[in-house]
Amino acid sequence: MLQDRTSGRYHLCSPSAYYMISLMDGKRTVEEIWNRACEAFPDERIEKADITRLLITLYSSDVLLGDVPPDVSEQTDRGQSQRRRKNILRFLNPLAVRVPLLDPDRFLSATLPWLRFLFTPWAALAYGCLLLYSLALVGEHWAELTHNMSDRVLTAENLLILLLVYPAVKTLHELGHGYALKRWGGEVHEIGVMFLVFMPVPYVDASAASAYQNKWQRALVGAAGILVEVLLACIALLVWVAVEDGLVRACAYNVMLIGGVSTLLFNGNPLLRFDGYFVLQDLLEIPNLGPRSNRHVAWLVKRKLLGVDEAQAPANSPGEARWMLVYAICSFIYRLFIMAAIILFVASRYFVIGVVLAIWSALLMLGLPLARQCLYLFSASELRGRRTRAIGAALGALGLVAVTLLLVPLPYNTISEGIVWVPGDGAVRSKARGVVESVVSAPASPVEQGTVLIKLSDPFLDKEVAVHQASVNELELRHAEQDIRDRVSARIIEEQLRQARADLGLAEQNRANLEVMAGRAGTLALPAVADLPGTYIERGSTLGYVAEFSAPVVRVVVSQDAIEQVRNDTRAVEIRLVERMAPVVSARVSREIPSLTDTLPSPALSTLGGGRFLLDPADPEQRRVLDGVYNLELEPLQAWPVSKLGMRVMVKFVHRWEPLGWRLYRGGRRLFLRQLSV
C-alpha cells in the first residue's frame, strides 16, 4: 500500500511493483531497477514494458518525483481531468450521489477522549451481553414485533417518523466509523450527504483505514457503523418493551427496523459496496475485491476462451482466485436483483422515472460492458494474429448460451399447496338455528346417509307451530261457514288459509331441521365436540364433516401467475402430505372454480399457518389474501388414506419440458405486469 499524504489517496501495488518502487531512490537507473526486480522475482515474467507502465501510472498519480521541473499546465489539465472523471462517476451512479460538506477531523479529535472507553474489552463484553439479552427479548416478543408488519410500517404517520429517524441513525452510524478511525491514529477529512435512491444519507470518508497494517483494525473500522446501528436497535428494543403505545414506541420500532433489518440486509451485505464489503475484503486480505474479481473473470475469458496466454492473472494465489470467481458471480447477480427491485418500486409510483432508470441501468450494467468487450475484440493489440479465432470463440460462446436458454428443454413444474378436504355434500351444516341439545353420533364413527348426528333445541319453534296450527284451524272453520253464505268472502279466506298452511309447513320443517343429519355415508368428524353442547348455532353453520378418509378430496390453491400454465399445460398431478413426504400419489383435477377469489379454504395455507400466501392484515377473520387465487379440487387416482381433515398437502403440476429462456421471459413479464398493476 502506497499512501500519498498530500492528496489523501492510497495506491495498491503488487509485490513486484512495490519492490521496484522501493528501489527508486534517484540514483539507480530504470534498467538497474528492472534487472534487480527480475532477479528478486524469478517466477514472474517482468518485461521492460511493465516498468514503463509503472512509471506512467506513478506519474499520472502525482507520486513520481524527478529532476525534470514539473509541467504546471500539464498538472492543471490532469487535475481538471480528475474532476471530470469524478463528475462522470457521479453521473454513472445516479442512485448514490455524494455531496461533501465539511472536515470533521478536529471535532472527532476533541471528542474522542470522552468515548475512548467504548474501545475497551469491558465495553465489548457489555455489548455482547446486551446483544444476547436483546435476542432473548426478540424471541419472546417475536409475534408482536412481526404482526401486521407491512401495515404498520407503510402507514403515512409511520413513514413520516421513519424519514425523521433514518438520518439520525445514519449520522451516528457514520460517526462510529469516524471515531473508530481516530482511535488508531487515522484522519477523517470529509463528511457529507449521499443521496441513496434519492434519500439523503450522511457519509464519512474512512479511506485512511487502508493504511493500517493490522487487518482486524481495518475490519473494525468498516464494521463500526454496523455495530453502532445494532447497539441502537438493542437500546430501542428495551425502550419499545418498557413504554406504552405512542410516539416514543413508534420511534423505537423504526430504530429497530433500521438498525436491525436494513443494516443486516443491505449495509452488512458484502455483495453490495457498503460496510460489509470492506469488512470482507479486509478479513480475506484481498484489497479491491470487487474490481479485481471482475478483472479475474475477464482474465479467465481471455485465457480460456480467447486464447490470450500472455494475460496476467490478478489473483496472487489459488485461494484468491476462488474467492474472486465466486464473489464476481454472486455480486453481479445480486446487483441486478437490487437494481431491478429499485426500478420496479420507483416505476410502480412514478412510471416515467422508472422507465428512464431501467434504460439507464441497462446501458450502464449491460450495454457499456458489452460495448467495451466488442471494442476489445476488434481493436485490442493482444489479439493481433488470432483475432478471427477470438471472435469465433466469442460468437460460439454466445451461441451456446442462446441455444441453452432458448432451445434446450428442461423439466417444468408448478408447485402449489392444498389441504385434505371433503366434497361439497360432505360438510355437516345446520339447516336451522338453535342451541345444541346433544350429540347423537360419536365422532370418528361410521354413519349412513340420513343418520341423525346432532339435535338442536328451540322452544320458540313449538310455540310457533302451535300458533300457526291454531290459525289454520280458525281459518278452516271460517271458510266452512262462509262457503254457504258469501262466495266472495270465502275466496278471500281460502287465500288466507293457503298462506297459513304454508307458514305452518315452514315452521314444522324448521322444527324437523333441528335434527342435523348426514348428507352422505362416511366417517363423522366433529372438531371441538366437547364444546358443542349448549352452544348457540346459526343457520348454515358448519358443525363437522362426513368423509371417506380412504379417498379424500384435495382443495388446492393456485396463484394468478400460475393458473394459465396449470389450466392449459398440465400433463400429470402429484400430491404428498407435508407430514409424510415420502409417499407420492398421482391425482387428477376433478373440479375447478373458474372465478378469482381472495379467500383461502383454510388458514393453514397462509403464512401464519405455514403456507405461502400472504393474508390481508385488515381482515379480522384472517382468511382473505392480498392477491387473488384460484381453487381446484383434486381426486387421488389410487388409495390414499389420511388420518384427519385439514392436513396440508404439497401439489406438483407436471408440465411439458420447456427451455429456460422462455420461462424467464414469462416470469419477468408477469412480475412487470403485477408490479405496475397493468
Side-chain angles (χ1 to χ4, degrees):
M1 186 69 68
L2 183 65
Q3 180 182 5
D4 184 0
R5 296 186 178 274
T6 303
S7 63
R9 298 169 62 189
Y10 295 86
H11 306 278
L12 180 66
C13 309
S14 64
S16 57
Y18 191 81
Y19 179 77
M20 287 187 284
I21 292 173
S22 66
L23 297 178
M24 296 178 184
D25 57 355
K27 300 177 181 179
R28 298 184 179 90
T29 64
V30 174
E31 186 172 2
E32 291 176 351
I33 295 174
W34 176 67
N35 290 330
R36 294 191 59 175
C38 292
E39 295 175 358
F41 297 89
D43 298 333
E44 183 177 348
R45 185 172 59 184
I46 303 176
E47 299 180 353
K48 291 185 177 180
D50 296 329
I51 193 171
T52 303
R53 282 194 293 268
L54 176 61
L55 293 172
I56 294 173
T57 302
L58 295 175
Y59 179 73
S60 61
S61 301
D62 294 326
V63 295
L64 190 64
L65 180 64
D67 295 335
V68 180
D71 189 344
V72 178
S73 61
E74 195 272 339
Q75 290 183 344
T76 302
D77 294 340
R78 192 186 309 160
Q80 294 176 352
S81 176
Q82 291 177 356
R83 285 192 294 272
R84 284 195 301 270
R85 191 180 301 112
K86 289 183 178 180
N87 293 331
I88 291 175
L89 291 176
R90 292 175 182 174
F91 175 80
L92 293 178
N93 194 7
L95 300 180
V97 179
R98 291 192 174 192
V99 180
L101 296 179
L102 50 90
D103 185 345
D105 193 71
R106 294 180 61 184
F107 169 78
L108 295 176
S109 299
T111 55
L112 178 63
W114 300 347
L115 302 176
R116 192 176 292 273
F117 71 92
L118 295 175
F119 300 92
T120 61
W122 292 107
L125 179 61
Y127 186 94
C129 294
L130 178 61
L131 182 59
L132 292 176
Y133 181 65
S134 300
L135 291 176
L137 286 179
V138 168
E140 182 180 352
H141 298 275
W142 178 255
E144 188 179 359
L145 286 169
T146 57
H147 180 65
N148 289 342
M149 187 173 180
S150 59
D151 188 50
R152 293 157 62 185
V153 173
L154 297 180
T155 59
E157 296 83 358
N158 191 79
L159 289 177
L160 179 60
I161 296 174
L162 190 64
L163 289 175
L164 296 176
V165 170
Y166 190 82
V169 173
K170 291 302 176 181
T171 299
L172 295 176
H173 172 110
E174 299 302 331
L175 288 177
H177 289 302
Y179 283 116
L181 190 59
K182 296 294 294 182
R183 168 63 179 81
W184 288 288
E187 296 181 355
V188 184
H189 292 290
E190 182 179 316
I191 188 172
V193 177
M194 178 173 63
F195 291 91
L196 188 61
V197 196
F198 311 116
M199 186 171 185
V201 179
Y203 80 93
V204 297
D205 182 9
S207 59
S210 303
Y212 294 160
Q213 294 185 0
N214 190 327
K215 70 174 183 179
W216 297 104
Q217 293 178 354
R218 298 195 303 269
L220 187 57
V221 171
I226 300 175
L227 296 176
V228 168
E229 289 199 29
V230 173
L231 175 63
L232 293 176
C234 294
I235 297 174
L237 176 61
L238 299 179
V239 175
W240 183 84
V241 172
V243 302
E244 299 293 334
D245 288 336
L247 181 61
V248 175
R249 202 169 199 243
C251 292
Y253 186 82
N254 285 279
V255 171
M256 286 189 291
L257 191 67
I258 297 170
V261 179
S262 67
T263 296
L264 297 179
L265 292 181
F266 294 97
N267 211 10
N269 191 334
L271 298 178
L272 298 175
R273 299 291 179 86
F274 296 133
D275 294 343
Y277 163 78
F278 297 103
V279 172
L280 177 64
Q281 73 172 9
D282 286 331
L283 294 179
L284 296 178
E285 296 186 297
I286 307 178
N288 289 342
L289 177 60
R292 291 178 65 195
S293 298
N294 296 333
R295 290 199 298 270
H296 179 70
V297 173
W299 173 79
L300 288 176
V301 172
K302 292 179 182 178
R303 187 73 179 267
K304 305 297 183 181
L305 182 62
L306 305 183
V308 183
D309 297 331
E310 297 82 5
Q312 185 175 358
N316 298 320
S317 66
E320 280 193 358
R322 288 190 291 269
W323 275 107
M324 289 179 180
L325 180 61
V326 172
Y327 184 84
I329 297 174
C330 295
S331 62
F332 178 74
I333 295 175
Y334 191 76
R335 286 200 306 271
L336 284 179
F337 171 76
I338 291 296
M339 184 61 66
I342 293 174
I343 290 171
L344 287 174
F345 175 78
V346 175
S348 63
R349 288 154 176 80
Y350 311 102
F351 182 77
V352 176
I353 298 178
V355 171
V356 172
L357 278 177
I359 297 174
W360 198 340
S361 302
L363 289 176
L364 293 180
M365 299 191 68
L366 300 176
L368 288 181
L370 288 177
R372 283 196 291 265
Q373 297 306 318
C374 291
L375 182 63
Y376 173 81
L377 284 175
F378 288 100
S379 61
S381 59
E382 294 178 334
L383 300 179
R384 187 178 294 114
R386 47 192 163 193
R387 196 175 309 278
T388 303
R389 175 189 179 279
I391 295 175
L395 293 177
L398 292 177
L400 180 61
V401 172
V403 168
T404 302
L405 290 178
L406 302 178
L407 298 179
V408 177
L410 296 174
Y412 186 21
N413 305 314
T414 297
I415 306 298
S416 192
E417 296 180 1
I419 57 170
V420 176
W421 210 240
V422 295
D425 59 348
V428 177
R429 294 186 176 90
S430 172
K431 297 181 180 180
R433 58 185 178 183
V435 178
V436 177
E437 183 178 294
S438 62
V439 178
V440 179
S441 300
S445 62
V447 296
E448 298 295 332
Q449 183 177 0
T451 303
V452 178
L453 307 178
I454 300 172
K455 286 186 176 182
L456 307 179
S457 64
D458 187 353
F460 295 102
L461 280 179
D462 293 333
K463 296 180 180 180
E464 185 178 353
V465 170
V467 169
H468 287 302
Q469 184 64 54
S471 179
V472 169
N473 294 336
E474 178 189 357
L475 289 173
E476 286 177 346
L477 293 174
R478 290 176 57 190
H479 178 267
E481 179 183 357
Q482 294 293 335
D483 190 24
I484 300 174
R485 299 179 181 180
D486 188 353
R487 301 294 300 178
V488 175
S489 298
R491 297 295 293 268
I492 295 175
I493 294 175
E494 284 179 2
E495 183 63 26
Q496 293 176 348
L497 180 60
R498 186 184 63 82
Q499 184 64 39
R501 286 172 177 169
D503 292 340
L504 176 61
L506 180 60
E508 290 177 342
Q509 182 62 42
N510 289 336
R511 185 170 61 178
N513 288 338
L514 291 176
E515 292 184 345
V516 181
M517 300 180 183
R520 56 173 295 177
T523 303
L524 176 62
L526 290 178
V529 63
D531 299 332
L532 282 179
T535 304
Y536 177 77
I537 302 298
E538 286 286 353
R539 182 178 180 180
S541 300
T542 301
L543 303 178
Y545 303 93
V546 175
E548 291 287 349
F549 287 92
S550 60
V553 170
V554 175
R555 294 275 305 266
V556 59
V557 178
V558 180
S559 63
Q560 299 181 59
D561 296 340
I563 187 61
E564 180 182 0
Q565 202 73 17
V566 169
R567 182 182 293 158
N568 301 326
D569 188 29
T570 296
R571 298 294 189 265
V573 182
E574 297 178 355
I575 56 178
R576 62 176 69 187
L577 292 172
V578 173
E579 298 179 4
R580 251 185 356 257
M581 297 295 286
V584 178
V585 178
S586 298
R588 68 177 184 89
V589 179
S590 59
R591 190 168 74 96
E592 175 187 350
I593 301 176
S595 60
L596 186 69
T597 180
D598 61 354
T599 304
L600 294 176
S602 170
L605 299 178
S606 69
T607 52
L608 295 179
R612 55 184 292 189
F613 295 96
L614 293 174
L615 291 175
D616 185 357
D619 180 23
E621 297 183 0
Q622 295 293 284
R623 295 286 293 273
R624 192 168 63 243
V625 292
L626 293 175
D627 295 327
V629 295
Y630 288 87
N631 288 319
L632 306 177
E633 282 193 3
L634 306 181
E635 179 183 339
L637 297 179
Q638 59 195 80
W640 190 52
V642 295
S643 59
K644 57 185 176 180
L645 300 177
M647 301 174 70
R648 285 179 55 220
V649 179
M650 299 301 297
V651 181
K652 180 170 73 172
F653 297 93
V654 181
H655 310 303
R656 61 182 174 182
W657 288 27
E658 188 178 38
L660 183 61
W662 300 113
R663 289 154 60 177
L664 292 175
Y665 165 74
R666 189 185 300 113
R669 181 173 176 271
R670 290 172 179 169
L671 177 63
F672 179 79
L673 295 177
R674 182 176 65 252
Q675 188 70 20
L676 300 184
S677 301
V678 178

